[in-house]
Amino acid sequence: MHGLMMDTPLTITTILRHAERVNAASEIVSVTADAPRHRCTYADVFRRARQLANALTAAGVRPGDRVATLAWNDYRHLELYYAVSCMGAVLHTLNPRLFAEQITYIFNHGGARILFADQTLLPLVEILRPGLPALERLVVLGPDYEAFIAGQPDRYDWPELDEREASSLCYTSGTTGHPKGVLYNHRATLLHSYGSTLVDTLALSRRDSVLAVVPMFHANAWGLPYSVPMVGGKLVFPGPKMGDGATLAALIAEEQVTIAAGVPTVWQLLLNYAREHDLVFHSLERILVGGSACPLSIMNEFRDRHGVWCVHAWGMTEMTPLGTANAKPPGYDALSPVAQDAFRVRQGRPAFGVEMKIVDDAGRELPWDGASAGLLKVRGPWVCRDYYHTGEPSAAHAEPGWFATGDVANIAPDGTLQITDRAKDVIKSGGEWISSIDLENIAAGHPDLLQAAVIGVPHPKWDERPLLIAVPRPGATPTREGVLGWLEGRIAKWWTPDDVVFVEKIPLTATGKISKVELRQQFRDYRLPA
Ligand code: AMP
């Protein structure tokens, strides 16, 4: 038909072109093994990405090939993000915190022949190498990488790609079976970047200085390597120091960070550091927190001590990853403190593009009344349609056109979501569900507790009862009775944990979340008090 719009493909290359042209001078600051504070601009990164694309071509990488990375967040990893995807190949990011057997499986399943690895991770690469028979070329991110791209022309004509072509690959580790690959394409990545810059999602702007603590191997650092260049903000990368409070605090102060993104455990660590060193983060406006439910105690400390709003967001690797985000609603400031708290523990409203519904065990849709909890299903242009080459039908995609998230949630009439559990973590007591996330949130608010986790343990009468596992704050000596007394009146009586166990440390997963699997393992011989 005549008179229609141009059919420009929605590719990552369009972000690259735009960012290079209009945001050329925006800065990228990285901590790397060879430079404590490396500084460059988008213009530098995209020029080097062209050299890298030439070097990859010379190394035999062709469109559709997978290129693997085992790397922290820094400018070289960003160059790989753009060079690999925009030349038509597929960037396969590996999580170095997984068990060696899992990384081996993921690398081999992805099928890359070339691996870019951070120099701090070379000992790990040595362990992995005998199990990676297809690996032909290892490039170490440091002088080796510089030699790899040196002498390559900085001209490279990015091909016109089809927006539905694959751009990157990331595996999500299920609790059973092998990790599963999620294959992103250009279109999903671009639309996700639009969706995540919106004011009521992450509200990213050119004025922002964005500290991406969430790793580039965890759901593409929540899309920040694309969305921030799209708007022209400054990118701040902590490199191998993402778990180091001193480095994070210094980056925030010195780089005038306005928004920082990561999982709750990172923020707990940073808050502890700030408290111990009497720091206040003046430049910081927002914390983007997701990956697991953020306890109110973390959000309160950010608000009260640092004047920071926590954007509580929910998403999944399978969703590129943004699902919902809780921007301040209209009338928020006039709400009572209790109503404000009730709002902030929710994960917010869906970004435009994400449709959701909750269903009961029989698949019947449940009302959006803020109370009925059911299995959460989603669909949209950046939700995965299937897993990458598993060779078997995906149970999560059993209902055509929908993806079953495995999360249990309720949805308020205005579309505000609250995740109450992972389906497999839910505690079923006498046939009724107890939300482990709610219990954890409330328990973590106890002044003497640093962290709290709740698991279900077998019970002869009720099938399962909640067990609270808690880490005391340094110097504090909370008691079982004290904690249970504190919960009284804050939760339904029948939700009261049957026991409280104090531990020094709660095990974390490779993406920094509380590992319920490991906790259940640790407490498998535990018997409730009679
Ligand atoms: P991943 O793919 O590793 O990012 O894990 C996705 C899962 O993390 C989701 O299915 C949820 O179970 C959990 N999750 C992510 N964000 C949140 C959140 N804000 N609150 C509760 N759970 C979350």
Side-chain angles (χ1 to χ4, degrees), residues 294-301 340-342 344-345 441-442 444-445:
C294 184
L296 207 51
S297 51
I298 291 184
M299 299 196 238
N300 285 346
E301 191 164 346
Q340 288 189 349
D341 288 356
R344 285 181 303 141
V345 295
N441 262 335
I442 295 167

Side-chain angles (χ1 to χ4, degrees), residues 259-276:
I259 173 164
V263 294
T265 42
V266 163
W267 303 133
Q268 185 66 66
L269 176 144
L270 181 69
L271 286 170
N272 293 348
Y273 183 86
R275 216 182 310 111
E276 283 158 19

Side-chain angles (χ1 to χ4, degrees), residues 49-264:
R50 289 195 296 275
Q51 290 184 285
L52 174 57
N54 282 316
L56 287 167
T57 306
V61 173
R62 298 288 171 260
D65 286 354
R66 268 76 64 217
V67 172
T69 62
L70 191 65
W72 310 116
N73 294 9
D74 66 26
Y75 67 105
R76 292 188 182 110
H77 207 174
L78 190 68
E79 290 163 10
L80 281 154
Y81 258 58
Y82 280 91
V84 172
S85 299
C86 296
M87 69 187 285
V90 178
L91 182 87
H92 182 187
T93 52
L94 300 164
N95 181 346
R97 294 175 181 151
L98 291 169
F99 295 118
E101 306 81 67
Q102 285 173 308
I103 308 177
T104 304
Y105 171 84
I106 292 170
F107 179 92
N108 291 333
H109 192 265
R113 283 174 289 131
I114 182 165
L115 170 67
F116 289 81
D118 195 90
Q119 37 193 313
T120 59
L121 295 168
L122 283 185
L124 175 60
V125 175
E126 286 317 308
I127 295 169
L128 298 173
R129 209 160 182 169
L132 312 178
L135 177 60
E136 292 167 7
R137 181 85 193 252
L138 169 70
V139 180
V140 183
L141 292 164
D144 187 24
Y145 174 88
E146 295 305 322
F148 184 71
I149 65 170
Q152 292 291 342
D154 64 7
R155 210 194 128 89
Y156 181 92
D157 291 325
W158 301 110
E160 251 339 280
L161 299 171
D162 183 319
E163 66 187 36
R164 289 183 168 77
E165 273 176 40
S167 56
S168 52
L169 177 63
C170 182
Y171 281 65
T172 168
S173 41
T175 45
T176 53
H178 285 305
K180 295 197 247 355
V182 178
L183 188 62
Y184 305 102
N185 61 14
H186 284 261
R187 178 184 148 85
T189 307
L190 186 104
L191 291 174
H192 178 271
S193 304
Y194 267 120
S196 52
T197 54
L198 295 174
V199 174
D200 278 334
T201 53
L202 312 189
L204 296 174
S205 124
R206 187 182 174 200
R207 290 174 297 284
D208 280 314
S209 169
V210 183
L211 174 64
V213 186
V214 52
M216 288 167 87
F217 51 75
H218 182 199
N220 300 325
W222 297 346
L224 295 171
Y226 307 110
S227 50
V228 180
M230 188 185 241
V231 298
K234 172 172 164 182
L235 268 170
V236 182
F237 290 133
K241 302 281 192 173
M242 57 178 74
D244 178 38
T247 303
L248 298 182
L251 285 173
I252 292 173
E254 290 159 27
E255 304 305 332
Q256 291 292 292
V257 166
T258 56
I259 173 164
V263 294

Side-chain angles (χ1 to χ4, degrees), residues 353-437:
V354 176
E355 277 183 75
M356 30 184 222
K357 65 174 178 180
I358 40 175
V359 299
D360 66 12
D361 284 342
R364 281 182 302 251
E365 214 174 322
L366 296 169
W368 289 18
D369 57 11
S372 309
L375 299 165
L376 177 63
K377 293 189 170 189
V378 292
R379 66 178 174 194
W382 61 75
V383 177
C384 83
R385 192 168 31 153
D386 202 352
Y387 290 108
Y388 178 67
H389 288 182
T390 56
E392 55 190 43
S394 153
H397 294 87
E399 182 184 354
W402 288 92
F403 168 65
T405 62
D407 285 328
V408 179
N410 68 62
I411 306 177
D414 70 350
T416 308
L417 177 86
Q418 180 167 24
I419 302 289
T420 55
D421 248 316
R422 276 308 274 170
K424 56 186 183 303
D425 294 338
V426 91
I427 300 158
K428 216 161 185 184
S429 172
E432 298 284 344
W433 284 356
I434 295 177
S435 159
S436 66
I437 294 184

